[in-house]
Amino acid sequence: MSSPYVGKLTNADASARMLTSSVATLGCAFAMVIAAAVAVVLAITSDANRLEAERQRDRIDATIESQVRLRELRFQSLTAAGDLQTPFAGPDPLAAMQATLMRLGSRFLEFDGAYIVSASGIVFAGIEGDGPSGQVGYDGLKHFSPALPGGSKTAPALRRLPDMRGGPGMSAWSMTHDGFDTVSVMVMDVPARQGSLVQLLGPLKIVGYRRVTSTMLAELSHRYRIADLRIVTEMPADPLSRRAIPAPDGSVRAWLSWTPERPGDAMLRQFVWALAGVGLLFGCIFAFVVHRLRGAAQQIALRESQIQRLAGQDELSLLPNRRTFDLRLDQELAHLGRSGKGLAVMLIDLDRFKAVNDTYGHTAGDELIRQVAQRLSRVVRSGDTVARIGGDEFGVIQTHGTFPAGCAALGERILEALTEPFIIMGVATTIGCSIGIALAPEDATDREALLRLADTALYQSKNGGRNRYSFFEAQMNRTLALKRMVEEDLRRAIENDELLLHYQPQVSVDGATIVGVEALVRWNHPEHGMVPPSEFIGIAEERGLIVPLSEWVLRQACEEAKRWDGIRLAVNVSPIQFRHKDFVANVIRVLDETGFDPSRLELELTEGVVVDDADAAEAAMMDLRAHGVCLALDDFGTGYSSLIYLRRFAFDKIKIDRSFLEYMETTGESAILVHSIAHLGRALGLRVCAEGVETAEQHRFLQAIGCHELQGFLFSKGVPADEIDALLTREKPFATVLAAA
């Protein structure tokens, strides 16, 4: 036994290249992971810094807003209480207003100075610190805010504050820097009251200001937790850590700046150690992987010889595998033309391998495969090839010996070797095998065709009873072709009404009259001619076509049998058809659509129909009988439980199987059985019909024991419907046949 050369799959250079590629890949992956980790950390810290800077900027805005609102509340409390509403009675109302403003000076602690002025900028009263102030002081204040009353109309307008609920007047505010000082100014309307000086002088405004000093900024920085709050004249680079302070002319030459907190930097300092640890870990892993890859490359080089062997060998049986088998077969077929010799291909399938696997487990199955491989290797000759093709299937290429005698001899040796018991897990196990043989060049010269034909022969061996060998024959191809034809053509034949029905008469026991007919389907194929039911009924059941076929037979038979008044119509029911969930409904529907009398329909059931699911079968049969359909038990006596089901199910007729009449003339046992069945049927009140009546002796015997009906070639074979018409026109259609017998 030899096997073809299998080329090298790996080598040292390939291993080195693989190692280099793997190291480079791992290095890139390592760098990418580290870079990704650093990028994630930097993104997190940067985002944390940005969010904190935004929160601090919002806090600065809120701080300035709170300071402005505080001053606004100071003004509003004065104007709302009416303290500034000086009555205009008296010799010098303006002096009274100045006195009132001085008296209220303690309530202007939030301001460095305050003035009551007209809309045109005329000062009526004013204070600076603890002393009075006049027009000169107010004009100096307009230097910082030209938009104050009496100032430049082209100057940028003061910022209007939203009205506070319940506030007495409109408020405006500004903060400016003139290059030396920063001043915050607030203006508010003084509402007029009945009899007050404001009513006499017209609309008045109260103006307050305060210089923004480093002390004030330090206090705010401490109070609102803002680091290094200050005013600078160089614009800070970070837009989130500055706020512009306009100059009197509207330009910006100073900024309120602070140092924002950077929580991300603190996080980064913590992450540095984690990143260093991750980098160290990855470095160790990288070094370990490189070390293992070097070892793996060495192992690959050592295993090259083993790989070469295993590439063409089945690991379990240690026989050549399917790939090697195909290569060797191609080589031998290529030599056929030059050597002039033939060869044989044998496919071997173990018969009871699945039972061993299911009973003892997969370990036992593996051991059985190994022992089978050893026995096959011993029975083939040197130069022949035996291989495990897959599962429990083996193949043999026989190139030595005479054909086909040598093949038959090898087949016998294989059967003998594999029929002997195997000791599996301490238990003696017998399996056997089936063998299919195809010859080259007689059957085929192509590998795929030769294997297909050998598989066809193997299928024949398994169907023929197993534990045998079969040579491929042309008839097997016809069987396969027939199966394919049935699957492809039968459905079309049903749809196109290409089938036809024959009817076999069922006659009274005296042979004088026809009491019924049995519908028998026939198929006249346009290419293959008349196909007998024995060749396509079983295949139709396998391929799932039996239900539409049976429904077509029932419908066609009912349509044709309507013209035979008083004649019962017997139709066979397949077990698959009977178990269909819509079987009863389909029968009733066909009867309704064809208008056939249900009492004339007789459905013939076999014991296999009722054995599988007795409860469901009983329910269906009761439903059919409720609609008037008769039921007959076909092939009675061939099953092991006929009497049990006769007692349970309501059959109208039993049919004695033809096998009891076949040898009735030569053995007395068959005659006794038939006699017993007839008496049993009569005792149960059932009609008894005997099938397969072919001789006058059988007729006389069945008449003597009390059968009611007879059916067989003695009277007629299955004939077309028009011949049944002719038989029914005769008074005694079978008198001539019976007289001649």
Side-chain angles (χ1 to χ4, degrees):
M1 182 175 60
S2 62
S3 60
Y5 172 80
V6 180
K8 273 187 158 187
L9 299 180
T10 60
N11 51 46
D13 292 339
S15 300
R17 287 195 299 271
M18 182 185 71
L19 175 62
T20 303
S21 175
S22 300
V23 170
T25 302
L26 286 174
C28 292
F30 171 75
M32 290 177 63
V33 169
I34 294 299
V38 171
V40 169
V41 171
L42 292 178
I44 292 174
T45 56
S46 176
D47 192 56
N49 288 335
R50 181 183 58 80
L51 291 176
E52 182 61 25
E54 290 178 352
R55 283 195 293 268
Q56 289 187 346
R57 185 183 61 183
D58 294 340
R59 199 181 309 141
I60 290 293
D61 292 341
T63 300
I64 295 174
E65 184 74 19
S66 65
Q67 293 297 312
V68 172
R69 285 299 182 187
L70 179 62
R71 295 181 179 89
E72 182 185 21
L73 289 174
R74 292 288 187 183
F75 278 171
Q76 286 184 353
S77 64
L78 292 174
T79 56
D83 293 331
L84 297 177
Q85 308 295 333
T86 304
F88 54 76
D92 192 353
L94 295 180
M97 180 178 292
Q98 178 67 37
T100 301
L101 189 61
M102 292 293 296
R103 178 173 51 83
L104 297 176
S106 61
R107 300 178 64 177
F108 288 94
L109 296 179
E110 296 295 331
F111 298 93
D112 291 334
Y115 295 91
I116 298 176
V117 300
S118 66
S120 60
I122 299 174
V123 177
F124 294 109
I127 59 173
E128 289 282 349
D130 295 332
S133 181
Q135 190 69 42
V136 175
Y138 178 73
D139 291 341
L141 182 61
K142 287 191 291 183
H143 162 73
F144 289 96
S145 296
L148 289 175
S152 173
K153 295 183 179 180
T154 61
L158 299 180
R159 175 187 170 190
R160 291 288 182 178
L161 296 178
D163 289 344
M164 296 183 64
R165 185 173 297 178
M170 182 68 71
S171 300
W173 166 83
S174 71
M175 177 186 290
T176 55
H177 181 81
D178 65 349
F180 300 98
D181 294 325
T182 302
V183 175
S184 173
V185 180
M186 175 170 285
V187 179
M188 190 173 191
D189 296 335
V190 178
R193 288 193 178 185
Q194 185 69 28
S196 67
L197 185 61
V198 176
Q199 187 178 18
L200 175 65
L201 298 177
L204 297 182
K205 298 181 182 295
I206 182 170
V207 178
Y209 75 92
R210 185 172 185 179
R211 289 182 175 83
V212 179
T213 64
S214 58
T215 303
M216 175 182 176
L217 293 177
E219 180 184 352
L220 293 176
S221 178
H222 175 72
R223 182 186 305 173
Y224 294 99
R225 292 174 300 176
I226 301 172
D228 196 19
L229 187 62
R230 63 196 183 280
I231 294 176
V232 297
T233 56
E234 292 185 5
M235 184 177 67
D238 186 4
L240 294 178
S241 62
R242 68 175 186 254
R243 177 169 180 171
I245 302 176
D249 59 359
S251 62
V252 177
R253 294 192 293 272
W255 292 265
L256 182 64
S257 177
W258 58 92
T259 301
E261 295 183 5
R262 300 182 65 83
D265 295 347
M267 294 171 57
L268 183 60
R269 286 190 292 272
Q270 296 177 356
F271 274 121
V272 165
W273 296 105
L275 286 175
V278 171
L280 181 61
L281 176 62
F282 270 91
C284 294
I285 294 175
F286 182 72
F288 175 75
V289 170
V290 170
H291 174 72
R292 292 301 299 267
L293 284 175
R294 289 184 179 274
Q298 295 173 358
Q299 290 294 325
I300 290 173
L302 294 175
R303 292 177 182 174
E304 284 185 355
S305 59
Q306 182 181 5
I307 291 174
Q308 294 175 36
R309 178 175 57 83
L310 294 178
Q313 186 181 68
D314 176 63
E315 185 176 357
L316 177 60
S317 65
L318 302 182
L319 294 175
N321 57 18
R322 178 62 180 264
R323 177 176 178 272
T324 303
F325 183 83
D326 290 345
L327 290 173
R328 178 63 187 278
L329 183 54
D330 285 337
Q331 291 177 355
E332 294 297 339
L333 289 173
H335 294 160
L336 279 181
R338 295 192 296 269
S339 64
K341 297 180 180 179
L343 64 84
V345 173
M346 295 185 179
L347 295 183
I348 305 166
D349 189 82
L350 305 184
D351 286 340
R352 297 186 63 251
F353 177 76
K354 186 177 185 300
V356 174
N357 239 359
D358 294 343
T359 303
Y360 302 107
H362 291 288
T363 302
D366 293 345
E367 177 60 25
L368 178 59
I369 290 295
R370 283 190 286 266
Q371 294 190 26
V372 168
Q374 293 170 4
R375 293 190 185 185
L376 288 175
S377 299
R378 288 197 297 265
V379 299
V380 300
R381 294 182 178 182
S382 177
D384 294 341
T385 300
V386 58
R388 184 187 179 206
I389 296 178
D392 61 340
E393 189 174 358
F394 296 81
V396 174
I397 303 174
Q398 186 182 14
T399 57
H400 297 80
T402 57
F403 302 100
C407 298
L410 179 57
E412 292 289 352
R413 294 199 304 271
I414 293 175
L415 289 175
E416 182 180 358
L418 299 187
T419 303
E420 294 179 3
F422 294 86
I423 304 303
I424 306 297
M425 302 180 69
V427 179
T429 303
T430 303
I431 55 170
C433 67
S434 300
I435 306 173
I437 306 173
L439 304 177
E442 290 85 348
D443 297 327
T445 57
D446 176 73
R447 171 171 56 88
E448 293 185 1
L450 200 60
L451 290 175
R452 184 175 66 252
L453 300 182
D455 191 64
T456 301
L458 175 62
Y459 183 81
Q460 180 66 26
S461 294
K462 297 175 77 69
N463 284 349
R466 299 176 182 270
N467 203 34
R468 60 194 297 265
Y469 63 86
S470 299
F471 286 90
F472 172 76
E473 298 176 359
Q475 177 63 25
M476 299 177 186
N477 261 349
R478 183 178 185 277
T479 302
L480 291 178
L482 178 62
K483 286 190 176 182
R484 288 193 295 268
M485 179 266 295
V486 168
E487 185 175 6
E488 296 171 0
D489 296 350
L490 184 56
R491 182 176 284 106
R492 183 174 64 251
I494 296 171
E495 295 174 353
N496 298 335
D497 288 334
E498 296 176 2
L499 303 174
L500 54 92
L501 293 180
H502 284 186
Y503 300 90
Q504 187 175 30
Q506 296 175 344
V507 302
S508 60
V509 71
D510 59 2
T513 59
I514 298 176
V515 296
V517 292
E518 180 179 356
L520 305 171
V521 66
R522 299 290 185 266
W523 185 8
N524 188 10
H525 195 276
E527 296 180 6
H528 301 278
M530 188 64 70
V531 182
S534 59
E535 293 190 6
F536 70 84
I537 292 296
I539 301 175
E541 290 180 339
E542 292 178 7
R543 306 296 181 174
L545 297 175
I546 193 64
V547 172
L549 173 62
S550 300
E551 184 172 340
W552 182 91
V553 170
L554 178 62
R555 182 182 301 277
Q556 189 68 18
C558 290
E559 288 286 357
E560 293 182 350
K562 285 193 296 184
R563 62 180 185 261
W564 303 324
D565 293 335
I567 301 298
R568 289 191 301 274
L569 171 65
V571 178
N572 289 285
V573 176
S574 164
I576 297 176
Q577 178 192 12
F578 185 80
R579 287 192 290 268
H580 194 275
K581 61 183 180 65
D582 296 325
F583 169 68
V584 176
N586 289 339
V587 171
I588 303 306
R589 176 171 52 81
V590 170
L591 291 174
D592 292 340
E593 292 176 357
T594 59
F596 190 77
D597 183 3
S599 63
R600 291 174 53 203
L601 177 62
E602 188 174 80
L603 300 180
E604 295 188 358
L605 312 176
T606 61
E607 290 183 25
V609 171
V610 296
V611 167
D612 293 339
D613 191 346
D615 294 334
E618 184 177 16
M621 294 169 67
M622 294 298 293
D623 198 2
L624 289 169
R625 287 184 60 83
H627 287 83
V629 178
C630 300
L631 302 172
L633 182 59
D634 198 9
D635 301 335
F636 181 79
T638 59
Y640 64 90
S641 56
S642 298
L643 297 180
I644 296 175
Y645 288 101
L646 273 181
R647 292 180 57 187
R648 179 172 181 181
F649 299 103
F651 288 102
D652 299 284
K653 182 170 74 173
I654 57 176
K655 298 185 72 175
I656 302 174
D657 188 68
R658 66 181 68 249
S659 61
F660 290 105
L661 303 180
E662 188 173 359
Y663 301 106
M664 194 175 63
E665 295 84 357
T666 58
T667 61
E669 294 180 355
S670 294
I672 294 172
L673 288 174
V674 172
H675 186 276
S676 300
I677 293 172
H679 277 273
L680 175 64
R682 295 177 70 89
L684 294 175
L686 305 177
R687 288 181 288 110
V688 180
C689 177
E691 294 183 293
V693 181
E694 298 182 359
T695 66
E697 290 78 6
Q698 293 173 346
H699 174 215
R700 287 191 291 270
F701 173 77
L702 295 170
Q703 188 175 20
I705 64 175
C707 283
H708 299 92
E709 301 170 7
L710 306 176
Q711 180 178 347
F713 287 173
L714 177 63
F715 305 101
S716 174
K717 63 179 181 178
V719 296
D722 54 356
E723 294 191 28
I724 296 295
D725 293 336
L727 289 174
L728 290 175
T729 59
R730 303 175 190 173
E731 185 176 351
K732 294 182 178 182
F734 307 112
T736 303
V737 175
L738 294 176

